Amino acid sequence: KDYKQAIAWWKKSAEQGYADAQSNLGHCYSTGKGVEKDERLAFDWSSKAAEQGNVNALHNVGVYYAEGFGVKKDVKKAIEWYKKAAEQGYACSQFNLGEIYAQGTGVKKDEKQAVEWYKLAAVQNLPNAQFNLGICYRYNRGVEKDLRQFKEWNDKAAKQGFGPAIFLKE
């Protein structure tokens, strides 16, 4: 892939307000693909795309706030952005919200809420969500203990090559 040429086109489109191009530029600046890595520019371009509802950018802005990448760390803002992406069905944001509620990061720990978010991501075949949902069933975290459900979700994650699930399957 010729990222330098793609970036030239994306910059033209992004400057005209095209959200997908803004999101792509944000991603490139976050990873250093075709440009020098720049956390602030990654955040700025992703934010412009997120303000227009671009689901990838919504998720990425959530990640940037959660990690303090190009912006001051702010878990509450991370949750807001993750929820916007999660409501559009973005599995990674749904999983991240599950993690936040399971651990009580910036919110009151709520295992039932964690399970709901994990379920939404798990049915979209996100293996880490399937594994975590299985663990919830195995250890009575937010749901009633159900070893059949544990096995079912763990097996789905294992079939996708998710290491921890393969380990528990053996």
Side-chain angles (χ1 to χ4, degrees):
K1 290 183 178 181
D2 184 359
Y3 276 97
K4 293 217 186 281
Q5 187 176 8
I7 286 166
W9 287 109
W10 287 335
K11 275 187 180 174
K12 287 180 182 183
S13 296
E15 288 165 355
Q16 293 174 24
Y18 185 60
D20 287 345
Q22 292 168 339
S23 180
N24 290 343
L25 274 180
H27 176 72
C28 288
Y29 280 112
S30 76
T31 60
K33 284 187 177 176
V35 292
E36 190 172 323
K37 188 174 178 177
D38 186 321
E39 292 182 7
R40 187 68 214 182
L41 283 174
F43 177 79
D44 290 345
W45 281 115
S46 295
S47 293
K48 288 178 183 184
E51 291 293 344
Q52 295 184 66
N54 179 285
V55 71
N56 291 324
L58 290 167
H59 173 76
N60 289 341
V61 170
V63 170
Y64 298 158
Y65 274 116
E67 296 178 1
F69 185 90
V71 66
K72 187 175 186 268
K73 186 174 182 171
D74 186 332
V75 177
K76 297 272 189 233
K77 284 186 179 176
I79 292 168
E80 287 175 33
W81 289 101
Y82 284 148
K83 281 187 176 176
K84 289 177 184 183
E87 288 164 0
Q88 289 189 41
Y90 202 78
C92 291
S93 286
Q94 293 165 340
F95 172 78
N96 287 0
L97 286 166
E99 289 288 87
I100 286 168
Y101 284 103
Q103 297 166 11
T105 307
V107 295
K108 186 174 184 268
K109 185 174 180 175
D110 184 340
E111 290 178 334
K112 287 183 194 265
Q113 182 86 333
V115 165
E116 292 309 310
W117 288 115
Y118 287 150
K119 277 182 186 174
L120 290 169
V123 296
Q124 294 184 69
N125 293 317
L126 193 68
N128 45 350
Q130 293 170 330
F131 175 77
N132 283 18
L133 182 58
I135 291 297
C136 290
Y137 279 110
R138 182 177 183 175
Y139 294 110
N140 191 34
R141 294 183 185 152
V143 287
E144 212 171 293
K145 185 173 184 173
D146 184 335
L147 294 179
R148 187 188 60 73
Q149 285 282 344
F150 157 70
K151 183 180 178 340
E152 183 179 316
W153 287 110
N154 194 71
D155 287 353
K156 287 180 182 192
K159 283 179 185 162
Q160 294 188 68
F162 192 68
I166 294 167
F167 177 78
L168 283 184
K169 192 173 161 89
E170 315 241 323

